[in-house]
Amino acid sequence: MLKKLLILLFAVVVLVGAGGALWLWQGLKSLEQPIALDEPVLMTVDSGTAYSQLARQMEHEGLVSDALWLRLYGRMNPAQTAIKAGDYELLPGMTPLGLLEAMVQGDVKLWAIQFIEGKTFDDMRAALAANERLEKVTTDWTDEQIMEAVGAAGDHPEGWFYPDTYLFDSSETDLDIYKRAYTRMVSVLEEEWQSREKGLPYQSPYEALIMASIVERETGVPSERDQVAGVFVRRLQTGMRLQTDPTVIYGMGDDYDGRIRSRDLREYTPYNTYRIDGLPPTPIAMPARAAIHAALHPAEGDALYFVARGDGSHKFSRTLAEHQRAVREYQLNRREDYRSSPAPVVQEPAEEQD
């Protein structure tokens, strides 16, 4: 009789053990099943969140059926509990273990902000201020405070921030973006300056940056950048004034209403290159590498003038007489579809008579 009882007890223990093992196996396997999502969902893991807290958070948000399974998984895999704070994007088809792996790797959600070549520092500030995902610390700062914070105290901000698309996560601020864009511009300018052509009329990399900003504003046609730079370099070398409309527009500031009039060309500003000799005192926009390269590798030739054709490209001329004929052809008799920049980019209309 005792033997039968022992056999029965052993059988019960085996069955209970088998059932417990099956229960444990099924619970852990549930972590490999896709989370029920119809669309991407953002999950925030706050700084200092412990693994046990994360398990409860995922249960509360319906990402796992029971936090117990995550806690047991963590005990069995201690290395998978070293989660990192941040915002994580849950995509349809993702499993709880896939999400956990992303948190261990720190694969946080990244957002993008774009600064377009040819735009100004004020445009950059406006873009940063309007970005809802980016934490703001410089909203009330002056331009001077921003330049000091990026390590360029006393410098004018225009032109010193590289135009590009920057990715950022929830831990970064607008100041972090300023620092990255400034560092990038310094690096690009230095690289291009080191490989510059000989005999250029620049006394410093900063003067090349000023020229690059003018080239950037004058043309959106990649193949013309070095030609435009060549015209301006030859003007500097021969003592001619640059006479370029984008500098006039920059000097007008908020007074610019989309047109340049004769009185604007006569009005003195430090940026009006119809009135001043040489380069303006600062850049007038954010130039990209291609414009910087063109400023430091201008095309050879004898053209001293150019005028917009109306399709985004320009007609280059050697003499004033040739230029005046081109002005009559392309500027004084404009077509209805006239544009000063290539399609489909939309630029502010300007009467270009360079």
Side-chain angles (χ1 to χ4, degrees):
M1 184 68 175
L2 178 60
K3 183 177 181 180
K4 291 181 178 180
L5 288 173
L6 290 174
I7 292 173
L8 180 60
L9 179 61
F10 177 76
V12 170
V13 170
V14 170
L15 288 172
V16 171
L22 179 61
W23 171 76
L24 178 61
W25 180 82
Q26 290 177 330
L28 292 176
K29 287 295 288 184
S30 70
L31 300 179
E32 300 177 14
Q33 299 303 310
I35 301 169
L37 295 174
D38 295 327
E39 59 184 17
V41 174
L42 200 64
M43 180 179 179
T44 300
V45 178
D46 294 327
S47 180
T49 298
Y51 182 81
S52 59
Q53 292 175 299
L54 172 66
R56 290 194 295 272
Q57 180 180 352
M58 290 179 66
E59 178 184 0
H60 177 73
E61 297 184 12
L63 304 179
V64 294
S65 59
D66 194 327
L68 170 65
W69 306 122
L70 273 177
R71 292 199 298 270
L72 288 175
Y73 179 83
R75 286 183 178 274
M76 297 167 63
N77 302 274
Q80 294 299 102
T81 65
I83 57 174
K84 298 178 177 63
D87 292 329
Y88 294 90
E89 186 175 34
L90 287 66
L91 301 173
M94 182 178 283
T95 67
L97 290 186
L99 175 59
L100 182 60
E101 177 66 21
M103 293 176 178
V104 172
Q105 296 295 327
D107 294 334
V108 296
K109 170 69 175 176
L110 298 177
W111 286 272
I113 186 167
Q114 184 181 38
F115 308 119
I116 301 172
E117 59 269 20
K119 296 295 186 178
T120 66
F121 180 68
D122 284 346
D123 294 325
M124 180 183 187
R125 293 204 66 168
L128 286 166
N131 190 288
E132 297 179 354
R133 290 291 182 180
L134 193 61
E135 181 183 352
K136 316 298 192 306
V137 298
T138 69
T139 301
D140 298 324
W141 289 16
T142 64
D143 292 353
E144 290 75 17
Q145 287 174 307
I146 292 174
M147 294 306 290
E148 182 176 1
V150 302
D155 288 347
H156 191 282
E158 198 68 79
W160 274 121
F161 297 88
Y162 193 81
D164 205 347
T165 298
Y166 293 88
L167 300 178
F168 63 92
D169 61 44
S170 58
S171 69
E172 295 184 274
T173 70
D174 55 350
L175 180 57
D176 293 318
I177 304 299
Y178 281 123
K179 288 180 177 179
R180 287 164 58 188
Y182 174 77
T183 300
R184 178 85 184 282
M185 180 59 83
V186 170
S187 176
V188 168
L189 182 60
E190 177 61 23
E191 290 172 7
E192 294 294 339
W193 178 257
Q194 291 302 321
S195 63
R196 69 190 183 277
E197 296 288 340
K198 296 181 179 179
L200 296 175
Y202 312 129
Q203 300 302 311
S204 67
Y206 188 62
E207 290 190 355
L209 185 65
I210 295 173
M211 177 64 82
S213 73
I214 298 173
V215 172
E216 191 71 79
R217 289 289 289 128
E218 275 288 9
T219 182
V221 179
S223 61
E224 287 189 349
R225 291 193 182 103
D226 61 342
Q227 292 178 271
V228 170
V231 169
F232 288 138
V233 165
R234 284 187 287 277
R235 288 185 181 185
L236 289 178
Q237 290 172 331
T238 58
M240 291 179 62
R241 288 179 173 172
L242 295 183
Q243 295 185 323
T244 168
D245 292 355
T247 63
V248 178
I249 293 170
Y250 189 83
M252 292 172 66
D254 294 337
D255 291 335
Y256 178 64
D257 62 4
R259 294 192 62 190
I260 298 178
R261 300 166 179 82
S262 296
R263 65 174 181 271
D264 299 320
L265 301 180
R266 294 191 298 268
E267 184 74 21
Y268 174 83
T269 77
Y271 292 89
N272 185 348
T273 51
Y274 287 84
R275 293 292 310 277
I276 67 169
D277 296 327
L279 294 164
T282 75
I284 61 171
M286 296 185 289
R289 182 187 286 270
I292 297 173
H293 185 84
L296 292 167
H297 299 83
E300 296 182 359
D302 54 7
L304 290 171
Y305 307 89
F306 59 88
V307 65
R309 285 193 172 99
D311 61 358
S313 66
H314 294 81
K315 169 67 176 177
F316 292 84
S317 302
R318 182 177 60 86
T319 67
L320 180 59
E322 290 176 3
H323 175 63
Q324 289 173 336
R325 286 196 297 270
V327 169
R328 287 193 294 272
E329 179 179 358
Y330 296 110
Q331 291 283 309
L332 301 183
N333 300 302
R334 292 186 175 186
R335 307 185 311 268
E336 290 185 1
D337 62 346
Y338 179 93
R339 58 172 69 242
S340 58
S341 59
V345 178
V346 177
Q347 296 274 3
E348 294 175 328
E351 295 182 356
E352 297 178 290
Q353 298 185 6
D354 300 280

